[in-house]
Amino acid sequence: YKLGSVDGYSFLEGYSDGNNYFGKTILSKGIGYRFSATGEIAYGSDMLDRAGIGMKYSVPMPKGSYLEVKALPIWFNRNGREKRATVGFFGTVNLPAGFEVSSFGEVDAMKKEWGYGEVSTGKSFGKSKKFGVHYNPLLKNNGAGKMTPRVEHAVRASYKF
């Protein structure tokens, strides 16, 4: 979505126990030559809400693919400045027959620790391509100080509003 000249993206996930959730809002504004100022607000039932600011860069890529990298070195939570520096990526590639592969992930560079990410391989259907089915492994934190993620296999059905 757009808020004036600012690009926005938000999501909220509810979990199967009915009591837990996680959400994130990402706002960015282009500042020139593929660079954008960016901010993220992360909120959830089992975490201290936090907000980070930094930059992202859209890497030049071939048609049908996209890659951006980000660095958010400044984070705050309700207790003040947080010792955290997030470095991450998001990428996607369109494949033949309407299939697509996408991935995102991030690490805390201060802790030298994997945070979270996902890989998604699948296909969207219908004239509007709003419904999709994907194999969607989750790349979860594997413990303090570990840079390799723990893989949790998942399947995702989605509808884009």
Side-chain angles (χ1 to χ4, degrees):
Y1 57 87
K2 282 260 204 211
L3 300 170
S5 63
V6 175
D7 293 318
Y9 174 78
S10 297
F11 69 89
L12 181 65
E13 297 177 340
Y15 300 116
S16 60
D17 65 6
N19 297 317
N20 292 306
Y21 67 92
F22 175 76
K24 189 180 271 192
T25 295
I26 302 167
L27 301 173
S28 62
K29 175 157 177 59
I31 58 173
Y33 192 72
R34 301 180 170 273
F35 284 95
S36 297
T38 190
E40 296 184 4
I41 302 168
Y43 36 92
S45 55
D46 63 348
M47 64 177 283
L48 190 58
D49 299 344
R50 63 174 54 111
I53 56 174
M55 301 287 290
K56 71 178 181 177
Y57 177 71
S58 296
V59 178
M61 298 292 290
K63 186 177 179 180
S65 61
Y66 179 81
L67 176 64
E68 72 180 29
V69 292
K70 67 178 181 179
L72 289 92
I74 301 169
W75 286 88
F76 295 92
N77 62 37
R78 71 185 110 195
N79 297 326
R81 180 80 187 260
E82 194 173 349
K83 288 184 103 177
R84 171 186 203 83
T86 302
V87 177
F89 69 93
F90 168 76
T92 185
V93 176
N94 295 325
L95 301 173
F99 285 89
E100 58 198 17
V101 176
S102 65
S103 183
F104 70 88
E106 58 187 39
V107 298
D108 183 334
M110 285 186 147
K111 293 181 183 176
K112 296 182 178 139
E113 180 177 306
W114 179 259
Y116 182 79
E118 295 182 13
V119 177
S120 178
T121 303
K123 185 171 181 162
S124 296
F125 299 93
K127 287 181 184 177
S128 63
K129 304 288 187 197
K130 289 187 174 190
F131 177 72
V133 178
H134 295 78
Y135 170 59
N136 195 169
L138 312 176
L139 308 173
K140 294 187 168 186
N141 179 283
N142 201 16
K146 294 186 179 178
M147 288 292 285
T148 55
R150 174 176 54 88
V151 178
E152 185 176 295
H153 300 280
V155 175
R156 173 175 55 96
S158 61
Y159 183 80
K160 296 176 186 174
F161 294 95

